[in-house]
Amino acid sequence: MLQFENYVPVRIVFGAKKLESVGEHAKALGSKALIVTTGPFFKESGLIDRVAGYLKEAGVQSEVFMDASPNPHSDEADAGAAFAKETGCDVVIGLGGGSAIDAAKCIAVGAAQGEPTWPYWIGEKDIFAALPIIAVTTTSGTGSHITPYSVITNTETNEKPGAGADVMYPKVAIVDSELMATLPAKMTAATGFDVLAHAIEAYTSNDANPFSDQYAEEAIKLVGKYLKRAIDDGSDAEARDGMAMADTYSGCAISIAVITMCHAMAHAVGGVCNTVHGESLAAMTPSTMRHSISGRPEKYKKIGELLSSKDVASAEASVDVVAAFIKDIGMAIPLNEQGVKESDFDEIIAGATGYMAGGMELDPVLVTPEDVRKVLEDSL
Ligand code: NAD
């Protein structure tokens, strides 16, 4: 018997030049915005000034917090939350990829509930309040502009959990693909692979439902059609739009059906070795798919068909299609080339089956610590 719940309450503002609407959306939510970004690109490219300018035109004041790292840290988010309170900000704008948007979400929670934020991210305390969040995504992507999740790293414990709460759904997601034209080819490939991994995992998750299946299928098709084009020519507007749609569909899919084994492992790998998220996913996706095929053979077979727009003989052949795609987009980078060593395995396994156990439990096939070790060995 079919039973499910669906809740993805995000106003999606999609299209070229939609960044210009950020002021009017912020005005509906507050009077002073904190713009949260990662790294100098956003300052040097003039994007921060553009956002601040649109806010000013709409009568919204702004402050800037640029100190979030790629794979943002909990102490950075705490500093951002304290700054938001000191400066009286009442709305938070994440401007960037998943890292900036996740940092913005954590800052929004810290500003509303108080720091330190880490206890909320490891489930010691409930997340029940956040300042309103606007997500302006510049990668395609993590889906973070759509999801209620935020992934934060603790550099003392080497943990990288994702917390989720309804209050962390962005009120508005601005998806302006013109902003993605500057994303370098390597990051386009890595973030684009994250889209595919989300779709594969949501599609095969124990929490999948008819809505998440539609989103995931569409995302896989779009990645197959547009990711290589976006990598080869970052100024290909149709390909950037296609990937932005894929990312948005995938974000909806994981908001409903979450993630499974590969993401649970990639978080643990990232926490221990500070790898590029999409690269770690690409290294481990073929092996995790093989692990889980028997749980949903029909769906695994269809993944290869959707990605290649061709018939695929079997679920196993579908894994080969995904592996060939990974090679074609330049993402066949074994974990050892990403800085992961065999001596890191125990800590990774503990994280993947410990604080990331929720993701593992959604995998269609039971995952044991030995299975995690096997995937790490296969992907090294
Ligand atoms: P990112 O946000 O870390 O950005 C990577 C680099 O690209 C940064 O240096 C950034 O400054 C730069 N950059 C971003 N946009 C650019 C642009 N348009 N032009 C030029 N440079 C640009 O990358 P990401 O892959 O989007 O995010 C990764 C993070 O998101 C990881 O921490 C991952 O764990 C997390 N994540 C979150 C979710 C979620 O649901 N919240 C899902 C998956 C992953």
Short mmCIF file of all heavy atoms in Angstrom, two decimals, residues 197-252:
data_model
loop_
_atom_site.label_atom_id
_atom_site.label_comp_id
_atom_site.label_asym_id
_atom_site.label_seq_id
_atom_site.Cartn_x
_atom_site.Cartn_y
_atom_site.Cartn_z
N ALA A 197 24.91 11.86 -7.98
CA ALA A 197 24.94 10.97 -6.81
C ALA A 197 23.68 11.16 -5.96
O ALA A 197 23.09 10.19 -5.48
CB ALA A 197 26.19 11.24 -5.98
N HIS A 198 23.25 12.41 -5.79
CA HIS A 198 22.00 12.64 -5.04
C HIS A 198 20.84 11.91 -5.70
O HIS A 198 20.03 11.27 -5.04
CB HIS A 198 21.67 14.14 -5.01
CG HIS A 198 22.47 14.91 -4.03
ND1 HIS A 198 22.71 16.26 -4.15
CD2 HIS A 198 23.10 14.54 -2.88
CE1 HIS A 198 23.44 16.67 -3.14
NE2 HIS A 198 23.70 15.65 -2.36
N ALA A 199 20.77 12.06 -7.04
CA ALA A 199 19.62 11.48 -7.75
C ALA A 199 19.65 9.95 -7.66
O ALA A 199 18.62 9.32 -7.40
CB ALA A 199 19.64 11.94 -9.21
N ILE A 200 20.84 9.36 -7.83
CA ILE A 200 20.95 7.90 -7.75
C ILE A 200 20.54 7.42 -6.36
O ILE A 200 19.78 6.46 -6.20
CB ILE A 200 22.40 7.44 -8.06
CG1 ILE A 200 22.74 7.68 -9.53
CG2 ILE A 200 22.61 5.98 -7.67
CD1 ILE A 200 24.21 7.42 -9.89
N GLU A 201 21.03 8.11 -5.34
CA GLU A 201 20.77 7.64 -3.97
C GLU A 201 19.30 7.88 -3.56
O GLU A 201 18.68 7.01 -2.96
CB GLU A 201 21.75 8.31 -3.00
CG GLU A 201 23.17 7.84 -3.26
CD GLU A 201 24.21 8.52 -2.38
OE1 GLU A 201 24.04 8.56 -1.16
OE2 GLU A 201 25.22 9.03 -2.94
N ALA A 202 18.75 9.05 -3.92
CA ALA A 202 17.34 9.30 -3.57
C ALA A 202 16.44 8.30 -4.31
O ALA A 202 15.45 7.81 -3.75
CB ALA A 202 16.96 10.73 -3.93
N TYR A 203 16.81 7.99 -5.55
CA TYR A 203 16.00 7.09 -6.38
C TYR A 203 15.94 5.68 -5.80
O TYR A 203 14.93 4.99 -5.90
CB TYR A 203 16.63 7.07 -7.77
CG TYR A 203 15.81 6.45 -8.87
CD1 TYR A 203 14.48 6.82 -9.08
CD2 TYR A 203 16.38 5.53 -9.75
CE1 TYR A 203 13.74 6.28 -10.12
CE2 TYR A 203 15.66 4.99 -10.80
CZ TYR A 203 14.33 5.36 -10.98
OH TYR A 203 13.61 4.84 -12.02
N THR A 204 17.05 5.26 -5.17
CA THR A 204 17.13 3.89 -4.67
C THR A 204 16.93 3.80 -3.16
O THR A 204 16.97 2.71 -2.59
CB THR A 204 18.51 3.29 -5.03
OG1 THR A 204 19.54 4.17 -4.57
CG2 THR A 204 18.65 3.10 -6.53
N SER A 205 16.70 4.95 -2.51
CA SER A 205 16.56 4.99 -1.05
C SER A 205 15.29 4.27 -0.57
O SER A 205 14.29 4.22 -1.28
CB SER A 205 16.48 6.47 -0.63
OG SER A 205 15.80 6.63 0.59
N ASN A 206 15.35 3.79 0.64
CA ASN A 206 14.14 3.20 1.25
C ASN A 206 13.04 4.23 1.45
O ASN A 206 11.89 3.86 1.65
CB ASN A 206 14.49 2.57 2.61
CG ASN A 206 15.38 1.36 2.44
OD1 ASN A 206 15.37 0.72 1.39
ND2 ASN A 206 16.16 1.03 3.47
N ASP A 207 13.39 5.52 1.44
CA ASP A 207 12.38 6.57 1.62
C ASP A 207 11.87 7.14 0.29
O ASP A 207 11.16 8.15 0.28
CB ASP A 207 12.95 7.73 2.46
CG ASP A 207 12.75 7.52 3.95
OD1 ASP A 207 12.17 6.47 4.33
OD2 ASP A 207 13.16 8.40 4.74
N ALA A 208 12.26 6.54 -0.83
CA ALA A 208 11.82 7.07 -2.14
C ALA A 208 10.29 6.99 -2.23
O ALA A 208 9.67 6.06 -1.71
CB ALA A 208 12.45 6.27 -3.27
N ASN A 209 9.69 7.97 -2.88
CA ASN A 209 8.25 7.92 -3.14
C ASN A 209 8.01 8.38 -4.58
O ASN A 209 8.96 8.76 -5.28
CB ASN A 209 7.47 8.71 -2.08
CG ASN A 209 7.59 10.22 -2.22
OD1 ASN A 209 7.75 10.76 -3.31
ND2 ASN A 209 7.48 10.93 -1.09
N PRO A 210 6.78 8.37 -5.06
CA PRO A 210 6.56 8.71 -6.49
C PRO A 210 7.04 10.11 -6.85
O PRO A 210 7.47 10.33 -7.99
CB PRO A 210 5.05 8.58 -6.65
CG PRO A 210 4.64 7.59 -5.59
CD PRO A 210 5.54 7.86 -4.43
N PHE A 211 6.98 11.06 -5.92
CA PHE A 211 7.47 12.40 -6.23
C PHE A 211 8.99 12.40 -6.35
O PHE A 211 9.55 12.93 -7.31
CB PHE A 211 7.05 13.41 -5.14
CG PHE A 211 5.63 13.85 -5.25
CD1 PHE A 211 4.63 13.15 -4.60
CD2 PHE A 211 5.28 14.96 -6.01
CE1 PHE A 211 3.32 13.54 -4.70
CE2 PHE A 211 3.97 15.36 -6.12
CZ PHE A 211 2.97 14.66 -5.46
N SER A 212 9.67 11.83 -5.35
CA SER A 212 11.14 11.85 -5.39
C SER A 212 11.63 11.07 -6.61
O SER A 212 12.64 11.43 -7.22
CB SER A 212 11.75 11.33 -4.09
OG SER A 212 11.36 10.01 -3.83
N ASP A 213 10.91 10.02 -6.99
CA ASP A 213 11.32 9.25 -8.19
C ASP A 213 11.27 10.12 -9.44
O ASP A 213 12.18 10.08 -10.27
CB ASP A 213 10.40 8.03 -8.38
CG ASP A 213 10.78 6.87 -7.47
OD1 ASP A 213 11.80 6.97 -6.76
OD2 ASP A 213 10.06 5.86 -7.47
N GLN A 214 10.21 10.91 -9.57
CA GLN A 214 10.10 11.79 -10.75
C GLN A 214 11.25 12.78 -10.77
O GLN A 214 11.87 13.01 -11.81
CB GLN A 214 8.77 12.56 -10.72
CG GLN A 214 7.56 11.71 -10.93
CD GLN A 214 7.54 11.12 -12.34
OE1 GLN A 214 7.75 11.81 -13.32
NE2 GLN A 214 7.31 9.82 -12.44
N TYR A 215 11.51 13.40 -9.62
CA TYR A 215 12.60 14.38 -9.55
C TYR A 215 13.94 13.71 -9.89
O TYR A 215 14.75 14.26 -10.64
CB TYR A 215 12.69 14.98 -8.14
CG TYR A 215 11.54 15.87 -7.73
CD1 TYR A 215 10.93 15.71 -6.49
CD2 TYR A 215 11.09 16.90 -8.56
CE1 TYR A 215 9.89 16.55 -6.09
CE2 TYR A 215 10.06 17.74 -8.16
CZ TYR A 215 9.46 17.55 -6.92
OH TYR A 215 8.44 18.37 -6.53
N ALA A 216 14.17 12.55 -9.32
CA ALA A 216 15.46 11.87 -9.51
C ALA A 216 15.64 11.45 -10.97
O ALA A 216 16.72 11.64 -11.55
CB ALA A 216 15.55 10.65 -8.59
N GLU A 217 14.59 10.92 -11.56
CA GLU A 217 14.71 10.47 -12.97
C GLU A 217 15.03 11.66 -13.87
O GLU A 217 15.89 11.58 -14.76
CB GLU A 217 13.41 9.80 -13.43
CG GLU A 217 13.21 8.43 -12.79
CD GLU A 217 12.04 7.66 -13.40
OE1 GLU A 217 11.42 8.14 -14.37
OE2 GLU A 217 11.75 6.55 -12.90
N GLU A 218 14.34 12.75 -13.66
CA GLU A 218 14.57 13.93 -14.50
C GLU A 218 16.00 14.45 -14.29
O GLU A 218 16.68 14.84 -15.24
CB GLU A 218 13.53 15.01 -14.11
CG GLU A 218 13.24 16.02 -15.18
CD GLU A 218 12.87 15.42 -16.54
OE1 GLU A 218 12.11 14.44 -16.60
OE2 GLU A 218 13.39 15.94 -17.54
N ALA A 219 16.46 14.44 -13.04
CA ALA A 219 17.82 14.91 -12.76
C ALA A 219 18.85 14.04 -13.47
O ALA A 219 19.81 14.55 -14.07
CB ALA A 219 18.07 14.91 -11.24
N ILE A 220 18.68 12.73 -13.42
CA ILE A 220 19.66 11.84 -14.06
C ILE A 220 19.71 12.10 -15.57
O ILE A 220 20.79 12.20 -16.17
CB ILE A 220 19.34 10.35 -13.76
CG1 ILE A 220 19.46 10.07 -12.27
CG2 ILE A 220 20.27 9.42 -14.56
CD1 ILE A 220 18.89 8.72 -11.82
N LYS A 221 18.53 12.25 -16.18
CA LYS A 221 18.48 12.53 -17.63
C LYS A 221 19.21 13.83 -17.96
O LYS A 221 19.99 13.90 -18.91
CB LYS A 221 17.01 12.68 -18.07
CG LYS A 221 16.34 11.40 -18.47
CD LYS A 221 15.06 11.68 -19.24
CE LYS A 221 13.87 11.49 -18.35
NZ LYS A 221 12.58 11.81 -18.88
N LEU A 222 18.94 14.87 -17.17
CA LEU A 222 19.55 16.17 -17.46
C LEU A 222 21.06 16.14 -17.27
O LEU A 222 21.81 16.76 -18.03
CB LEU A 222 18.92 17.25 -16.57
CG LEU A 222 17.48 17.65 -16.94
CD1 LEU A 222 16.86 18.49 -15.84
CD2 LEU A 222 17.45 18.42 -18.26
N VAL A 223 21.53 15.43 -16.24
CA VAL A 223 22.99 15.33 -16.04
C VAL A 223 23.61 14.64 -17.25
O VAL A 223 24.65 15.07 -17.77
CB VAL A 223 23.32 14.56 -14.73
CG1 VAL A 223 24.81 14.26 -14.65
CG2 VAL A 223 22.88 15.37 -13.51
N GLY A 224 22.98 13.55 -17.72
CA GLY A 224 23.50 12.84 -18.89
C GLY A 224 23.56 13.74 -20.11
O GLY A 224 24.49 13.66 -20.92
N LYS A 225 22.59 14.62 -20.23
CA LYS A 225 22.53 15.48 -21.42
C LYS A 225 23.46 16.69 -21.32
O LYS A 225 24.05 17.11 -22.31
CB LYS A 225 21.07 15.94 -21.59
CG LYS A 225 20.79 16.67 -22.85
CD LYS A 225 19.27 16.78 -23.08
CE LYS A 225 19.00 17.61 -24.33
NZ LYS A 225 17.61 18.00 -24.46
N TYR A 226 23.59 17.26 -20.13
CA TYR A 226 24.21 18.59 -20.05
C TYR A 226 25.53 18.69 -19.28
O TYR A 226 26.24 19.69 -19.44
CB TYR A 226 23.22 19.59 -19.43
CG TYR A 226 22.08 19.93 -20.36
CD1 TYR A 226 20.76 19.64 -20.01
CD2 TYR A 226 22.32 20.54 -21.59
CE1 TYR A 226 19.71 19.95 -20.86
CE2 TYR A 226 21.27 20.86 -22.45
CZ TYR A 226 19.98 20.56 -22.09
OH TYR A 226 18.95 20.88 -22.93
N LEU A 227 25.86 17.73 -18.41
CA LEU A 227 27.05 17.97 -17.57
C LEU A 227 28.32 18.09 -18.42
O LEU A 227 29.12 19.03 -18.23
CB LEU A 227 27.21 16.88 -16.49
CG LEU A 227 28.44 17.04 -15.59
CD1 LEU A 227 28.52 18.43 -14.97
CD2 LEU A 227 28.48 15.97 -14.50
N LYS A 228 28.53 17.19 -19.37
CA LYS A 228 29.76 17.24 -20.18
C LYS A 228 29.81 18.57 -20.94
O LYS A 228 30.87 19.20 -21.03
CB LYS A 228 29.76 16.03 -21.13
CG LYS A 228 31.00 15.89 -21.97
CD LYS A 228 32.18 15.36 -21.15
CE LYS A 228 33.36 14.92 -21.98
NZ LYS A 228 33.94 15.94 -22.85
N ARG A 229 28.67 19.00 -21.47
CA ARG A 229 28.65 20.26 -22.20
C ARG A 229 29.04 21.44 -21.30
O ARG A 229 29.79 22.32 -21.69
CB ARG A 229 27.24 20.51 -22.77
CG ARG A 229 27.07 19.97 -24.18
CD ARG A 229 25.66 20.14 -24.69
NE ARG A 229 25.21 21.52 -24.76
CZ ARG A 229 24.02 21.90 -25.25
NH1 ARG A 229 23.18 20.97 -25.70
NH2 ARG A 229 23.67 23.17 -25.27
N ALA A 230 28.53 21.43 -20.07
CA ALA A 230 28.84 22.53 -19.14
C ALA A 230 30.33 22.53 -18.76
O ALA A 230 30.93 23.58 -18.55
CB ALA A 230 27.97 22.43 -17.89
N ILE A 231 30.91 21.32 -18.68
CA ILE A 231 32.34 21.23 -18.36
C ILE A 231 33.17 21.74 -19.54
O ILE A 231 34.12 22.51 -19.36
CB ILE A 231 32.74 19.76 -18.04
CG1 ILE A 231 32.04 19.27 -16.76
CG2 ILE A 231 34.25 19.61 -17.91
CD1 ILE A 231 32.10 17.76 -16.57
N ASP A 232 32.80 21.31 -20.74
CA ASP A 232 33.58 21.67 -21.94
C ASP A 232 33.49 23.15 -22.27
O ASP A 232 34.43 23.73 -22.80
CB ASP A 232 33.13 20.84 -23.14
CG ASP A 232 33.53 19.37 -23.00
OD1 ASP A 232 34.37 19.09 -22.12
OD2 ASP A 232 33.00 18.52 -23.73
N ASP A 233 32.35 23.75 -21.99
CA ASP A 233 32.17 25.17 -22.30
C ASP A 233 31.29 25.80 -21.21
O ASP A 233 30.07 25.72 -21.25
CB ASP A 233 31.50 25.33 -23.68
CG ASP A 233 31.23 26.79 -24.02
OD1 ASP A 233 31.64 27.66 -23.24
OD2 ASP A 233 30.60 27.03 -25.06
N GLY A 234 31.98 26.40 -20.24
CA GLY A 234 31.26 26.98 -19.10
C GLY A 234 30.29 28.08 -19.49
O GLY A 234 29.39 28.42 -18.72
N SER A 235 30.45 28.64 -20.70
CA SER A 235 29.55 29.73 -21.11
C SER A 235 28.35 29.21 -21.91
O SER A 235 27.56 30.00 -22.42
CB SER A 235 30.32 30.76 -21.93
OG SER A 235 30.75 30.16 -23.14
N ASP A 236 28.21 27.89 -22.00
CA ASP A 236 27.07 27.28 -22.70
C ASP A 236 25.82 27.47 -21.82
O ASP A 236 25.58 26.72 -20.87
CB ASP A 236 27.38 25.80 -22.94
CG ASP A 236 26.27 25.05 -23.67
OD1 ASP A 236 25.12 25.52 -23.65
OD2 ASP A 236 26.58 23.99 -24.24
N ALA A 237 25.03 28.49 -22.16
CA ALA A 237 23.91 28.87 -21.27
C ALA A 237 22.86 27.77 -21.17
O ALA A 237 22.30 27.55 -20.10
CB ALA A 237 23.28 30.17 -21.79
N GLU A 238 22.63 27.07 -22.27
CA GLU A 238 21.61 26.01 -22.22
C GLU A 238 22.07 24.88 -21.29
O GLU A 238 21.30 24.35 -20.49
CB GLU A 238 21.37 25.46 -23.64
CG GLU A 238 20.22 24.48 -23.70
CD GLU A 238 20.12 23.80 -25.06
OE1 GLU A 238 20.40 24.44 -26.09
OE2 GLU A 238 19.78 22.59 -25.08
N ALA A 239 23.37 24.54 -21.38
CA ALA A 239 23.90 23.48 -20.51
C ALA A 239 23.89 23.92 -19.04
O ALA A 239 23.56 23.13 -18.15
CB ALA A 239 25.31 23.11 -20.94
N ARG A 240 24.23 25.17 -18.79
CA ARG A 240 24.19 25.66 -17.40
C ARG A 240 22.77 25.64 -16.86
O ARG A 240 22.53 25.26 -15.71
CB ARG A 240 24.77 27.09 -17.33
CG ARG A 240 26.28 27.17 -17.54
CD ARG A 240 27.06 26.61 -16.39
NE ARG A 240 28.49 26.84 -16.51
CZ ARG A 240 29.40 26.27 -15.72
NH1 ARG A 240 29.05 25.43 -14.76
NH2 ARG A 240 30.68 26.53 -15.87
N ASP A 241 21.81 26.05 -17.69
CA ASP A 241 20.40 25.98 -17.26
C ASP A 241 20.00 24.53 -16.98
O ASP A 241 19.32 24.24 -16.00
CB ASP A 241 19.49 26.52 -18.38
CG ASP A 241 19.05 27.96 -18.13
OD1 ASP A 241 19.33 28.50 -17.04
OD2 ASP A 241 18.43 28.54 -19.04
N GLY A 242 20.42 23.63 -17.89
CA GLY A 242 20.07 22.22 -17.73
C GLY A 242 20.62 21.66 -16.44
O GLY A 242 19.93 20.95 -15.69
N MET A 243 21.87 22.01 -16.11
CA MET A 243 22.46 21.52 -14.86
C MET A 243 21.82 22.18 -13.64
O MET A 243 21.67 21.55 -12.59
CB MET A 243 23.98 21.74 -14.85
CG MET A 243 24.75 20.71 -15.66
SD MET A 243 24.35 18.99 -15.22
CE MET A 243 24.81 18.94 -13.50
N ALA A 244 21.45 23.45 -13.77
CA ALA A 244 20.78 24.12 -12.64
C ALA A 244 19.41 23.47 -12.38
O ALA A 244 19.00 23.30 -11.22
CB ALA A 244 20.61 25.61 -12.94
N MET A 245 18.73 23.06 -13.45
CA MET A 245 17.46 22.34 -13.27
C MET A 245 17.71 20.98 -12.63
O MET A 245 17.00 20.56 -11.72
CB MET A 245 16.76 22.14 -14.63
CG MET A 245 15.93 23.30 -15.09
SD MET A 245 14.66 23.80 -13.90
CE MET A 245 13.60 22.36 -13.86
N ALA A 246 18.76 20.29 -13.13
CA ALA A 246 19.08 18.96 -12.57
C ALA A 246 19.36 19.07 -11.07
O ALA A 246 18.88 18.27 -10.26
CB ALA A 246 20.29 18.37 -13.30
N ASP A 247 20.13 20.08 -10.70
CA ASP A 247 20.48 20.30 -9.29
C ASP A 247 19.22 20.58 -8.46
O ASP A 247 19.07 20.07 -7.34
CB ASP A 247 21.45 21.50 -9.25
CG ASP A 247 21.91 21.84 -7.85
OD1 ASP A 247 21.94 20.94 -7.00
OD2 ASP A 247 22.27 23.02 -7.62
N THR A 248 18.33 21.36 -9.04
CA THR A 248 17.11 21.72 -8.31
C THR A 248 16.20 20.49 -8.15
O THR A 248 15.67 20.23 -7.07
CB THR A 248 16.42 22.89 -9.04
OG1 THR A 248 17.36 23.98 -9.10
CG2 THR A 248 15.16 23.34 -8.33
N TYR A 249 16.06 19.72 -9.22
CA TYR A 249 15.28 18.47 -9.11
C TYR A 249 15.91 17.53 -8.08
O TYR A 249 15.23 16.92 -7.26
CB TYR A 249 15.26 17.74 -10.45
CG TYR A 249 14.26 18.23 -11.46
CD1 TYR A 249 14.64 18.47 -12.78
CD2 TYR A 249 12.92 18.43 -11.13
CE1 TYR A 249 13.72 18.90 -13.73
CE2 TYR A 249 11.99 18.85 -12.07
CZ TYR A 249 12.41 19.09 -13.37
OH TYR A 249 11.51 19.50 -14.31
N SER A 250 17.25 17.40 -8.14
CA SER A 250 17.93 16.49 -7.22
C SER A 250 17.77 16.96 -5.77
O SER A 250 17.63 16.14 -4.86
CB SER A 250 19.42 16.44 -7.56
OG SER A 250 19.82 15.17 -7.92
N GLY A 251 17.82 18.28 -5.59
CA GLY A 251 17.60 18.84 -4.24
C GLY A 251 16.22 18.46 -3.72
O GLY A 251 16.06 18.10 -2.54
N CYS A 252 15.21 18.54 -4.59
CA CYS A 252 13.85 18.12 -4.19
C CYS A 252 13.86 16.63 -3.85
O CYS A 252 13.25 16.20 -2.85
CB CYS A 252 12.85 18.38 -5.31
SG CYS A 252 12.54 20.12 -5.64
#
